[in-house]
Amino acid sequence: MSLFSRHTGTVATSWRTSLTNPQKTGRRETSMTVTFRHNIISASRQVLVDGVVLPGSRGKTGFFRLSPQSDGSRVGDELLFEVPRDDVASGKVDLKILVKPNILSTGLYEYKCFVDGVELREVPPAPSASAPPPPPFPF
């Protein structure tokens, strides 16, 4: 996530995880990519799982729309979803995304993603295809 995109509108943050189904024959491990898109100006947000918008994930998350969290605090927004998956034994995964205001250290917001209670690491953004290559190093 670039500093420029943080201050001009929509921020997209992605996480990736592997899911295993021991009951399945053949390929037992699949991957799941979660993307959280958040417009810091309009506060609109949506969650995508493997590129498809998760039903019920569109809404507003901003400084003035903070919801109570499971620990009773009102710092941030806690989004909870059950994602149906046929590639896991239970048939679903529990997805939680935390959005917390964090003006002083990392920018405007801090984003965290949990799948079945395990925190995922953020996937670094791919380099832009339109960006020019860096100049050669002068020797």
Side-chain angles (χ1 to χ4, degrees):
M1 155 177 21
S2 73
L3 184 63
F4 180 72
S5 68
R6 285 186 201 182
H7 300 288
T8 58
T10 303
V11 174
T13 305
S14 295
W15 301 270
R16 188 172 297 124
T17 187
S18 294
L19 304 171
T20 15
N21 186 354
Q23 299 173 347
K24 199 174 181 184
T25 58
R27 185 174 174 199
R28 297 179 183 192
E29 190 170 300
T30 57
S31 67
M32 180 174 88
T33 302
V34 178
T35 303
F36 182 72
R37 290 186 184 159
H38 184 215
N39 187 299
I40 60 174
I41 296 170
S42 69
S44 64
R45 53 131 164 106
Q46 66 179 352
V47 178
L48 291 88
V49 175
D50 294 331
V52 178
V53 176
L54 193 60
S57 69
R58 294 179 191 249
K60 301 276 186 178
T61 295
F63 287 110
F64 303 108
R65 297 180 179 274
L66 303 179
S67 62
Q69 294 191 13
S70 55
D71 64 359
S73 69
R74 288 192 57 86
V75 179
D77 205 355
E78 186 175 70
L79 310 171
L80 304 171
F81 303 98
E82 280 189 358
V83 181
R85 300 286 297 201
D86 61 353
D87 49 3
V88 293
S90 65
K92 67 173 180 66
V93 293
D94 294 321
L95 174 65
K96 176 168 80 171
I97 296 180
L98 295 177
V99 182
K100 292 187 176 188
N102 194 357
I103 296 173
L104 299 177
S105 63
T106 61
L108 294 177
Y109 292 93
E110 178 182 342
Y111 306 100
K112 291 185 178 183
C113 179
F114 299 83
V115 171
D116 289 334
V118 177
E119 183 175 358
L120 305 181
R121 291 192 321 174
E122 187 176 335
V123 175
S128 174
S130 62
F137 187 80
F139 286 93

